[in-house]
Amino acid sequence: MRNVIQVVREALLTNFRELDQWFEKDQALLHFKPERDQWNIREVLEHITLTNYFLLLIINKSTRRALDRKKTGHTVVLPADYEQKFNQIDVIGSKSFGWVRPEHMEPTGLKNIQEVKALLKQQYAQCMYNLSLLKNGEGVLVFTNMSVNHLGKLDIYQYIYFLTKHIERHIRQMQRLQKEFEESAILI
């Protein structure tokens, strides 16, 4: 179980650290849209905060429930397909599946970039805090359904891992935007 928690912690650290670097990029890059209906990097970052917000509502509530269950004597037992579920979640970090996000996770583009950065820092701290509360395997005491890519029931560690893979997916999107921006600058 400790290795699972460590993997989730490292994924949080790696992906949030990577996100932080995008705030130092040139303003022209942050606002670049190759096409009208595409998001720019600022909007991608805002979308990540919106998605994290809704995922953290579930993670925070589930963490409280898991700690209550531990107090009442529930035993931590890993399902047989436990490791497999993490492999299924890994797919979220790629662009290999389609999913229509809910409207409330659409960026407005109106948020101040420093506000977005501050929100991401708070969300990272909240994820790490939840992991610290669940350091003895309590995160497997609560499962919540995840409809994305038909993942089914995820425990809290898997939910947090999903959050990191969602970030990873959008880091790749921002990298593609940066590449398009650089290529368009060469053509000018």
Side-chain angles (χ1 to χ4, degrees):
M1 179 79 327
R2 294 220 182 275
N3 65 330
V4 166
I5 296 168
Q6 187 59 33
V7 164
V8 174
R9 181 178 284 115
E10 287 174 14
L12 280 167
L13 182 64
T14 300
N15 286 304
F16 275 92
R17 187 179 287 153
E18 172 74 22
L19 282 180
D20 206 39
Q21 295 175 14
W22 287 94
F23 292 94
E24 308 308 317
K25 303 285 184 179
D26 183 71
Q27 288 298 309
L29 169 61
L30 294 177
H31 290 276
F32 172 72
K33 282 190 178 197
E35 296 187 25
R36 251 179 104 211
D37 63 338
Q38 281 187 297
W39 292 345
N40 62 31
I41 290 172
R42 285 179 54 118
E43 291 167 325
V44 172
L45 291 165
E46 181 185 345
H47 164 72
I48 292 168
T49 65
L50 293 168
T51 304
N52 288 353
Y53 171 80
F54 290 102
L55 291 173
L56 276 163
L57 288 175
I58 294 164
I59 291 165
N60 292 339
K61 182 179 177 183
S62 297
T63 297
R64 289 188 299 276
R65 284 181 48 218
L67 294 172
D68 287 344
R69 286 184 178 175
K70 183 68 174 180
K71 283 181 194 171
T72 58
H74 283 75
T75 307
V76 173
V77 178
L78 294 180
D81 69 340
Y82 194 70
E83 298 293 329
Q84 253 181 295
K85 191 63 89 165
F86 282 92
N87 294 336
Q88 291 175 296
I89 297 168
D90 279 335
V91 173
I92 303 306
S94 69
K95 198 181 175 192
S96 63
F97 75 99
W99 185 64
V100 179
R101 82 200 126 270
E103 195 174 306
H104 61 274
M105 292 183 192
E106 292 277 339
T108 63
L110 302 176
K111 276 199 176 158
N112 175 296
I113 194 78
Q114 292 308 316
E115 182 184 353
V116 171
K117 185 177 183 179
L119 275 171
L120 284 170
K121 285 194 180 302
Q122 291 169 358
Q123 292 168 343
Y124 170 74
Q126 185 63 56
C127 287
M128 292 303 254
Y129 179 68
N130 283 328
L131 274 183
S132 74
L133 293 174
L134 305 169
K135 64 184 175 288
N136 297 311
E138 299 90 343
V140 299
L141 295 175
V142 174
F143 285 81
T144 307
N145 196 45
M146 172 58 74
S147 60
V148 177
N149 208 30
H150 311 289
L151 287 172
K153 300 242 180 227
L154 302 180
D155 71 19
I156 303 166
Y157 305 117
Q158 293 164 338
Y159 237 88
I160 296 171
Y161 191 66
F162 175 92
L163 181 146
T164 70
K165 291 300 169 178
H166 174 261
I167 290 171
E168 206 171 280
R169 176 184 181 94
H170 288 295
I171 287 170
R172 286 190 175 106
Q173 179 184 5
M174 292 186 295
Q175 289 168 340
R176 286 190 302 273
L177 282 167
Q178 182 173 16
K179 185 177 180 194
E180 287 182 57
F181 175 77
E182 290 166 353
E183 288 170 354
S184 70
I186 291 170
L187 296 175
I188 296 177

